[in-house]
Amino acid sequence: MAFAPMGPEASFFEVLDRHRESLLAALRRGGQEPPSGGSRVASSSEVLVSIENIIQDIITSLARNEAPAFTIDNRSSWENIKFEDSVGLQMVSHCTTRKIKSDSPKSVKKFALILKILSMIYKLVQSNTYATKRDIYYTDSQLFGNQTVVDNIINDISCMLKVSRRSLHILSTSKGLIAGNLRYIEEDGTKVNCTCGATAIAVPSNIQGIRNLVTDAKFVLIVEKDATFQRLLDDNFCNKLSPCIMITGKGVPDLNTRLLVKKLWDTFHVPVFTLVDADPHGIEIMCIYKYGSMSMSFEAHHLTVPAIRWLGLLPSDLKRLNVPKDSLIPLTNRDQMKLDSILRRPYVTCQPFWRKEMEIMADSKMKAEIQALTFLSSDYLSRVYLPNKLKFGGWI
């Protein structure tokens, strides 16, 4: 096929290939379960009918002289979340709910805003047009107050209707980047080639619409931070370890970056690794890619990739590589609280090696950024650390 860059000799990938075989064997043993519950890709007519039913319920309440209310699943409580190793964090089928009442001073504005955005969604679906969350915010920025209000309401509506955000004809602006051994065609027919150069390709805003994906990649590397991603690009990492794919969500990943990682896994089943800072924030970001988040647990089946492995930076690497203490950063109280929170989460019980790494961090009371490796040499990350980890199976 296909891709010009020449990487290391075939023997370099032997451990990676065995890892892929074990992942495929696990899939065959478990069977690929179809999504059950949660959100789904619904047809336009289904979405329209669902919204019409909600409006009909409001009219019925008014006819009875009752104050209308929206009933929304409570996505902020761990009581409503269950964990399955094959899926990640997902909502329980009979979870507690909260009422958004039209006669309560505390919630009447939110009731009105939900109704307004439902009306906008109805028009979008009916006319087969799309809008971004930002577009919706700017239709009346004074009324909404800030973008977060719009984002939360759209998630509430998606959860309430049990359909994906894409089915609501609402798109997110992508902030993520992708580079490496990948080609695909976008919904409008644009051909995209991500082969690594000095620049990367923006993650598409419509992941569902991309098709004809082609790759020879042996692995996908998710990089937490844009600065590290750009440094690896500058070091020609993709070509030196070709064939591979690199992705960054530039910190906490947006929906489209998570959807793309999921699509690559579902399509090619190549090993996926994360490269994050050895700190609680980096671990949190890795957990979002692998197991999902509480707030988006109703979309877990479309977003999570439990096969992801932690490649680095491991807290145990800091001692192994003799990273000097002046390159480390003391944990703050906030860091400690975040670390304690992660250690209490249900998925940590099935990840004893992760727990051990987090306990090393907790005991040392120190954290480190990936840049701490530059004390060894400026290109140590791309020239030594990552190649050795990938060649010899240094992931957990």
Side-chain angles (χ1 to χ4, degrees):
M1 94 164 358
F3 295 98
M6 295 296 292
E9 56 191 44
S11 61
F12 178 90
F13 296 111
E14 284 178 0
V15 176
L16 268 171
D17 289 342
R18 287 200 297 271
H19 176 53
R20 182 175 186 235
E21 283 305 314
S22 70
L23 293 174
L24 292 173
L27 281 176
R28 287 190 291 269
R29 283 196 304 273
Q32 281 279 44
E33 291 186 20
S36 58
S39 67
R40 61 201 170 83
V41 178
S43 68
S44 295
S45 59
E46 287 177 303
V47 175
L48 293 175
V49 168
S50 294
I51 296 174
E52 288 163 5
N53 289 339
I54 286 172
I55 302 304
Q56 187 61 54
D57 288 343
I58 291 174
I59 294 169
T60 302
S61 295
L62 291 170
R64 293 174 178 163
N65 286 323
E66 297 170 356
F70 293 117
T71 302
I72 296 173
D73 292 340
N74 187 351
R75 294 179 286 115
S76 60
S77 170
W78 281 104
E79 293 175 4
N80 289 332
I81 307 297
K82 66 177 179 177
F83 170 71
E84 286 183 24
D85 192 31
S86 62
V87 179
L89 299 175
Q90 53 186 326
M91 297 197 76
V92 297
S93 52
H94 301 292
C95 61
T96 58
T97 58
R98 55 196 169 94
K99 295 274 189 185
I100 309 295
K101 298 179 180 179
S102 60
D103 62 345
S104 165
K106 286 184 178 180
S107 62
V108 62
K109 182 178 179 180
K110 183 161 187 180
F111 180 92
L113 293 180
I114 292 174
L115 205 54
K116 180 178 177 64
I117 292 178
L118 271 173
S119 168
M120 296 171 74
I121 290 169
Y122 192 90
K123 289 173 185 174
L124 287 170
V125 176
Q126 197 173 44
S127 61
N128 195 30
T129 53
Y130 291 83
T132 65
K133 294 185 298 180
R134 203 81 180 138
D135 293 334
I136 289 174
Y137 168 68
Y138 279 116
T139 59
D140 200 332
S141 58
Q142 282 192 315
L143 175 66
F144 291 123
N146 61 66
Q147 183 69 55
T148 304
V149 171
V150 173
D151 296 352
N152 289 338
I153 287 175
I154 289 168
N155 285 342
D156 281 339
I157 290 172
S158 179
C159 186
M160 182 168 62
L161 298 180
K162 299 290 188 290
V163 298
S164 67
R165 192 188 298 171
R166 170 72 184 172
S167 299
L168 303 178
H169 283 227
I170 294 174
L171 304 173
S172 300
T173 304
S174 298
K175 63 171 182 166
L177 298 172
I178 183 166
N181 190 289
L182 179 69
R183 295 198 308 255
Y184 57 85
I185 299 175
E186 293 191 335
E187 189 176 35
D188 63 1
T190 302
K191 293 180 179 180
V192 178
N193 188 342
C194 303
T195 302
C196 239
T199 57
I201 302 292
V203 169
S205 60
N206 177 15
I207 301 300
Q208 190 182 318
I210 66 175
R211 63 187 192 275
N212 293 19
L213 286 83
V214 179
T215 187
D216 296 320
K218 292 286 190 177
F219 65 92
V220 175
L221 180 65
I222 300 169
V223 182
E224 175 192 351
K225 296 191 301 192
D226 185 37
T228 307
F229 181 87
Q230 296 297 337
R231 179 57 201 256
L232 290 172
L233 277 182
D234 292 343
D235 288 350
N236 207 21
F237 176 81
C238 284
N239 290 344
K240 288 175 181 174
L241 266 72
S242 177
C244 68
I245 296 169
M246 271 201 324
I247 296 174
T248 182
K250 298 183 179 179
V252 177
D254 58 77
L255 188 71
N256 290 324
T257 304
R258 293 176 63 190
L259 284 168
L260 179 60
V261 172
K262 173 69 170 173
K263 192 177 187 84
L264 290 173
W265 167 250
D266 286 346
T267 306
F268 302 111
H269 291 127
V270 297
V272 184
F273 302 106
T274 53
L275 177 66
V276 299
D277 287 338
D279 65 14
H281 186 67
I283 294 170
E284 174 82 284
I285 287 170
M286 174 176 60
C287 291
I288 290 172
Y289 281 109
K290 184 177 175 78
Y291 291 129
S293 61
M294 187 191 297
S295 63
M296 294 296 288
S297 54
F298 65 97
E299 283 219 57
H301 282 280
H302 303 297
L303 295 172
T304 60
V305 183
I308 285 173
R309 297 294 185 264
W310 186 1
L311 189 66
L313 181 65
L314 303 180
S316 60
D317 290 336
L318 303 176
K319 185 175 181 179
R320 180 175 63 83
L321 297 172
N322 294 314
V323 175
K325 204 155 191 177
D326 59 7
S327 295
L328 307 180
I329 307 165
L331 290 178
T332 64
N333 289 338
R334 192 172 179 181
D335 288 331
Q336 193 62 61
M337 288 171 62
K338 170 68 75 178
L339 190 58
D340 291 343
S341 166
I342 296 171
L343 282 164
R344 288 195 300 270
R345 291 183 193 170
Y347 44 71
V348 174
T349 57
C350 71
Q351 291 290 347
F353 294 112
W354 283 28
R355 173 179 286 280
K356 186 176 179 182
E357 293 292 333
M358 285 186 269
E359 287 171 348
I360 290 171
M361 187 188 299
D363 291 343
S364 70
K365 294 183 168 50
M366 303 297 277
K367 61 183 180 179
E369 296 184 332
I370 295 163
Q371 286 81 352
L373 297 180
T374 56
F375 95 95
L376 290 160
S377 73
S378 60
D379 62 348
Y380 186 83
L381 177 67
S382 61
R383 182 176 55 84
V384 181
Y385 182 81
L386 290 175
N388 283 348
K389 284 257 178 177
L390 291 161
K391 183 175 182 179
F392 299 110
W395 54 78
I396 57 174

